[in-house]
Amino acid sequence: MSKAARVGMLGLCLAAAGAAVTGCGGGGANASAGSGQLVSLVTTAVPPATTGVAYAAKFEATFVNPGGVYQVVGGALPPGLKLDIQSGELTGYPRQTGAFHFEVGARDGVDLSLPPGRDESFAQDRKTYDLNVVLGPPNILPQVVPTAQYRASYAYQIDVAGGTKPYAFTKIGGTLPNGLKVGATGLLGNFPTSSGGNPYNFQVQVTDANGQTDVDTLSLDVIVLPLIVLTASLPEAAVGFGYDQIMQLASSGAGAPISWSQQAPVAGEVLLSSIGMELSLDGHLRNAPGFTGPTTLGSFTFTIAVQDEALQVATRQLTLKVNPGPVITSISPNRASSPGPYTVTGMNLQPGALVVFKPGPTQTTATTTFVSASSVTFKSPAPKPSDGSGGVDVMIKNPDGGTFTKTGAFVFPATTIAFGTKGYFASALSSTGLAVADLNGDGKPDLVHCGAASMTVYGGGPTSTNAGLIVHMNQGGSPPTFGSTTLDTGNYYDVKIADVNSDGKPDIVALGQSSIRVWLNGVSGNPLGTLSVGPSSTLASGIVYPSVLAVGKLNSDGLLDVAIGVPHNPSYGMSNTYGRVDVMMGTGTGAFTLQDSANGTMPWTTGVVSMACVDSDGNGRDELAVGMGMNNYTSYPPLNYVATTATGTFGTWTTKGTAVAPPYYGGTTCVAVGDFLGTGTLSVLTTHSSTYSSPARVLSLYSGSGLSSQTNLTAPTTVMKCVAGIDADFDATIDFAVSTVASNIIVYKGSTKAQVVTLDASIGSPSVSTPRTGKIVSADIDGDGRPDLICTTSWWQVEEMAANYGSSYALGASGNGGSMGIVFYLNTSN
């Protein structure tokens, strides 16, 4: 029989009380202490513990105002134990022997009769406790073994506490799916090749170095993904011209071998061979051997079928239109803001062909220069139709009268930036990260969303609740809809999409509590969009709650590397009063190894919560632009900068920009990279907001080699949170959008740096209840050629002043909000 219900993982509490005062209200570190007699911590001692044995104790206190909380304000708990901030319960499975000394503070709730932020009765009572942990026998802890995917790589470390390492593991009974085994080190892994026995129940024995043993029964499920054809439409073909279109899967089901075929035609369908075409076993719709292309004009309907290793079959009816030509495949460059000449590639292009922009009453034309039947050119400037902003249809017209129109093939700059349709879908995470890219190759950008639980930004303040990592696949449509898949339910603090195994496919890189986890895209013969668990890389010792992840090329081997920012969080032993950034070098497999740590070598910056990679000097190797965590006591520039060496170690850190003047205790909440000057080189934007009642709001642009030039822009009057670049008006200068307290998104025109649009996520349909706009990205999610805005409706980030001083002040920015999810606005610029 399996053991008792699992004890949850220790969550992140950022409400550290680092100041040596009993309590304070309304004024930060120098405010007078509140009355400690208002709170009484009754518990005088806690019982001893044994490694590997379930532990439970409870701290009791009396509070004058409701909503009192319990916090570790000094020392450290034994590893494996957690303190519930609301209930005062101390629970878990101790993992380390020794005498542990820690201090617990019981902090009073907020007096609602006083104005917000002016609770003068703020108080807490503190006591110091000793907890002795003795060695117990090995214990296989209660745990939920993650579900495995049929024919996908799998790895899970069986969790044990107590006893004496090293442990030796043995499967002594029950059943595992073919391809999975329990290794001697307790790693349950490899490649499941059966799935019919769910749930698979198996018995595991662990033996420690002293010969002590424990046995437990664990349970595992194996899922087989459904087989789904993605290809829904086909590009047109031309008679006698070569054609090759690869069929795509939305899900590869059971995986390779995958075989494609044409089903026997029914009424209204044709046999592909009758028009000189074939569907190959590997999914290529192409001209049959002996034919140079389709032989017959017209529209031809047929049904394709695909079968996977588990003999699942999926079908899709398609129609191929064959015309006499011409056919446009692409236009490069495809926007008027880029200098010409422009090249049209396709089939059956004739000398004297005309290019027609936005065919219709306002159309314009350009005469081409013939290069070959597959290529013609035309010169700039491209003539803009009077109503032709954004992506317009382009028609190629041959002298023989043949025409072909490609939808949204060329982009003209817009005069006015505007956003129309608002959309929203639920994604129940306490948001810490958002990334966008086309994961399955269907041309529709997909989203990856992450969140973390148990983050408390200040004493008595809101606490994040929902952790996890979710992929939202774009299903198309206008407005688009999204299908959601949960990859993991652990705490994640940032997420990026990047090709970290150098196979040309976008992968997911997520920053977890103590490791970087990777999901590889389209490996082991699977199609794009099939995400398999990849390597997990452990963070450096001493990092238990990182804050931000940046991906770039930080050494000279050409592989993608990562940088990790660490906040100032003294409650958990991370007192980073001079900041901390670690760099980990990519191996080209999705794994990363620690190369260097800036721990105490950065200029003064309390913690790190924002960071980006940028190649500002054009040498092919990224530098790091790192935001200041908190400027306590003194004015300080909001950006720190370093160029790494050819081996990936840190060079000399410098500060960038003019010091942010009082009031103090502000932080650089976001760093974004883009061509914000329209010069063809990268520059950096930072958002900086202070926490005091006389706020400093600074929006800065850094440019030039080494980011040596700073320009302060007109900042929003409310607290800024995140910033993202967006080519909203399709010109040469990148525009940008800033999320602000509580629910706004402010859009800036890049060429003028002026605020041009303010969006409020709490207004309009669909309804979004009390949103906390946060992480922003941009992408053309509806396929109309215009980049759109996508933003989370909850937001969480370390608040450095609160972590350091336990202040009742707050940005008023963090929170789940009433609606946890993602809001988007479709671009209607014209």
Side-chain angles (χ1 to χ4, degrees):
M1 299 291 294
S2 62
K3 296 190 178 179
R6 174 188 182 196
V7 173
M9 182 183 296
L10 172 61
L12 173 59
C13 172
L14 297 179
V21 293
T22 300
C24 60
N30 295 321
S32 61
S35 171
Q37 295 179 355
L38 292 174
V39 177
S40 177
L41 184 53
V42 179
T43 304
T44 58
V46 292
T50 303
T51 59
V53 177
Y55 183 86
K58 182 176 174 63
F59 294 95
E60 300 281 358
T62 59
F63 301 101
V64 174
N65 296 302
V69 296
Y70 300 86
Q71 298 172 273
V72 177
V73 296
L77 294 174
L81 296 188
K82 68 171 184 179
L83 175 63
D84 187 288
I85 189 172
Q86 304 295 339
S87 69
E89 293 176 341
L90 181 64
T91 57
Y93 289 83
R95 297 175 179 271
Q96 181 179 321
T97 61
F100 293 87
H101 309 279
F102 57 93
E103 187 178 11
V104 171
R107 178 171 297 176
D108 199 25
V110 175
D111 185 348
L112 298 178
S113 67
L114 297 174
R118 293 295 185 271
D119 184 358
E120 297 297 340
S121 68
F122 173 86
Q124 68 176 352
D125 190 15
R126 299 182 178 186
K127 281 188 173 63
T128 300
Y129 299 90
D130 295 324
L131 200 166
N132 292 319
V133 182
V134 299
L135 183 64
N139 181 21
I140 300 174
L141 299 182
Q143 56 201 283
V144 176
V145 179
T147 299
Q149 180 184 320
Y150 179 71
R151 295 184 62 81
S153 297
Y154 181 84
Y156 174 73
Q157 180 64 46
I158 297 173
D159 196 11
V160 173
T164 304
K165 296 181 180 181
Y167 303 126
F169 292 80
T170 308
K171 174 182 168 290
I172 60 172
T175 305
L176 279 172
N178 295 336
L180 286 188
K181 66 179 181 179
V182 176
T185 62
L187 183 68
L188 173 63
N190 288 328
F191 197 77
T193 57
S194 61
S195 62
N198 291 335
Y200 291 88
N201 296 313
F202 58 100
Q203 289 78 45
V204 175
Q205 176 177 287
V206 62
T207 304
D208 75 354
N210 295 323
Q212 298 183 100
T213 64
D214 185 38
V215 175
D216 197 6
T217 297
L218 302 178
S219 181
L220 168 72
D221 285 341
V222 179
I223 61 169
V224 180
L225 296 180
L227 184 64
I228 304 171
V229 177
L230 176 65
T231 302
S233 61
L234 297 169
E236 294 184 22
V239 170
F241 283 83
Y243 188 90
D244 191 344
Q245 183 70 21
I246 301 176
M247 301 298 100
Q248 298 285 341
L249 291 172
S251 169
S252 62
I258 298 285
S259 59
W260 297 82
S261 62
Q262 181 186 359
Q263 286 198 320
V266 298
E269 294 187 343
V270 301
L271 195 63
L272 285 170
S273 59
S274 69
I275 60 170
M277 301 292 287
E278 70 170 7
L279 178 62
S280 65
L281 281 173
D282 59 354
H284 286 255
L285 178 62
R286 62 193 181 193
N287 39 288
F291 295 88
T292 57
T295 58
T296 309
L297 294 174
S299 293
F300 305 97
T301 300
F302 53 95
T303 298
I304 62 172
V306 59
Q307 180 176 288
D308 66 7
E309 191 270 346
L311 304 183
Q312 297 182 113
V313 175
T315 62
R316 177 65 65 88
Q317 188 179 68
L318 299 172
T319 298
L320 175 67
K321 182 178 180 180
V322 182
N323 62 38
V327 171
I328 297 177
T329 303
S330 65
I331 302 176
S332 181
N334 71 339
R335 54 181 54 219
S337 60
S338 301
Y342 307 97
T343 299
V344 180
T345 57
M347 296 180 285
N348 197 17
L349 305 175
Q350 298 173 355
L354 287 177
V355 174
V356 182
F357 300 98
K358 200 174 185 182
T362 62
Q363 70 183 33
T364 59
T365 61
T367 302
T368 66
T369 299
F370 182 77
V371 178
S372 69
S374 59
S375 178
V376 296
T377 64
F378 62 94
K379 296 180 180 179
S380 58
K384 180 180 179 180
S386 58
D387 58 350
S389 298
V392 301
D393 297 348
V394 177
M395 181 174 71
I396 190 83
K397 183 175 183 180
N398 276 344
D400 66 4
T403 65
F404 177 89
T405 300
K406 188 172 180 65
T407 304
F410 199 78
V411 180
F412 288 99
T415 303
T416 303
I417 294 177
F419 292 87
T421 300
K422 173 189 178 186
Y424 171 81
F425 60 93
S427 183
L429 298 179
S430 298
S431 302
T432 54
L434 184 67
V436 61
D438 180 8
L439 292 171
N440 59 12
D442 66 352
K444 305 180 188 74
D446 310 299
L447 299 169
V448 183
H449 183 205
C450 72
S454 301
M455 296 176 66
T456 302
V457 292
Y458 62 96
T463 299
S464 64
T465 57
N466 291 8
L469 184 70
I470 301 177
V471 176
H472 302 286
M473 301 300 289
N474 191 336
Q475 307 296 309
S478 185
T481 58
F482 293 83
S484 303
T485 301
T486 298
L487 294 182
D488 197 77
T489 57
N491 287 327
Y492 289 95
Y493 303 96
D494 202 357
V495 65
K496 297 291 186 288
I497 299 176
D499 177 19
V500 293
N501 65 342
S502 303
D503 64 354
K505 304 170 186 176
D507 309 305
I508 295 174
V509 189
L511 180 62
Q513 189 159 315
S514 57
S515 66
I516 295 172
R517 294 196 63 188
V518 169
W519 280 261
L520 298 176
N521 192 357
V523 296
S524 303
N526 290 316
L528 277 173
T530 305
L531 299 167
S532 303
V533 175
S536 179
S537 304
T538 303
L539 301 183
S541 175
I543 299 178
V544 290
Y545 295 108
S547 57
V548 63
L549 175 72
V551 179
K553 296 180 179 179
L554 298 173
N555 62 9
S556 295
D557 64 6
L559 301 174
L560 287 178
D561 313 301
V562 295
I564 300 99
V566 184
H568 174 65
N569 191 7
S571 283
Y572 293 98
M574 297 188 299
S575 184
N576 297 302
T577 53
Y578 285 88
R580 178 170 179 179
V581 173
D582 284 5
V583 288
M584 300 176 71
M585 300 296 102
T587 63
T589 66
F592 302 92
T593 58
L594 181 66
Q595 180 69 0
D596 201 1
S597 177
N599 189 7
T601 59
M602 296 174 65
W604 178 271
T605 169
T606 304
V608 169
V609 297
S610 59
M611 176 171 55
C613 292
V614 54
D615 182 11
S616 68
D617 56 13
N619 69 350
R621 190 170 69 246
D622 290 313
E623 305 96 59
L624 286 173
V626 179
M628 173 186 57
M630 180 178 71
N631 63 325
N632 52 335
Y633 296 121
T634 180
S635 298
Y636 205 81
L639 192 66
N640 293 274
Y641 171 90
V642 69
T644 54
T645 68
T647 61
T649 57
F650 288 115
T652 301
W653 288 86
T654 57
T655 59
K656 300 296 175 180
T658 304
V660 176
Y664 307 123
Y665 306 109
T668 303
T669 57
C670 192
V671 179
V673 178
D675 184 7
F676 299 117
L677 292 176
T679 60
T681 59
L682 294 176
S683 48
V684 164
L685 276 170
T686 62
T687 55
H688 185 99
S689 294
S690 73
T691 58
Y692 261 38
S693 56
S694 300
R697 313 283 188 241
V698 182
L699 178 65
S700 296
L701 175 66
Y702 304 84
S703 59
S705 180
L707 305 181
S708 56
S709 177
Q710 180 199 19
T711 304
N712 284 338
L713 310 179
T714 301
T717 56
T718 53
V719 171
M720 295 175 288
K721 292 178 275 187
C722 301
V723 61
I726 175 173
D727 186 14
D729 57 2
F730 337 118
D731 63 6
T733 306
I734 298 298
D735 315 294
F736 53 95
V738 181
S739 61
T740 70
V741 168
S743 58
N744 283 353
I745 302 169
I746 299 175
V747 183
Y748 285 72
K749 185 175 178 64
S751 58
T752 63
K753 306 300 184 291
Q755 300 176 19
V756 292
V757 175
T758 297
L759 305 168
D760 189 338
S762 67
I763 296 175
S765 180
S767 175
V768 183
S769 173
T770 57
R772 290 289 183 268
T773 50
K775 297 291 186 178
I776 314 177
V777 294
S778 70
D780 179 15
I781 57 174
D782 63 344
D784 68 350
R786 294 174 165 89
D788 309 304
L789 278 174
I790 309 103
C791 187
T792 62
T793 55
S794 65
W795 185 74
W796 296 87
Q797 191 177 60
V798 177
E799 190 174 320
E800 298 298 343
M801 179 183 176
N804 199 30
Y805 292 108
S807 170
S808 61
Y809 281 96
L811 290 177
S814 290
N816 286 341
S819 299
M820 299 171 69
I822 295 173
V823 66
F824 59 83
Y825 293 89
L826 301 183
N827 191 337
T828 57
S829 300
N830 55 56

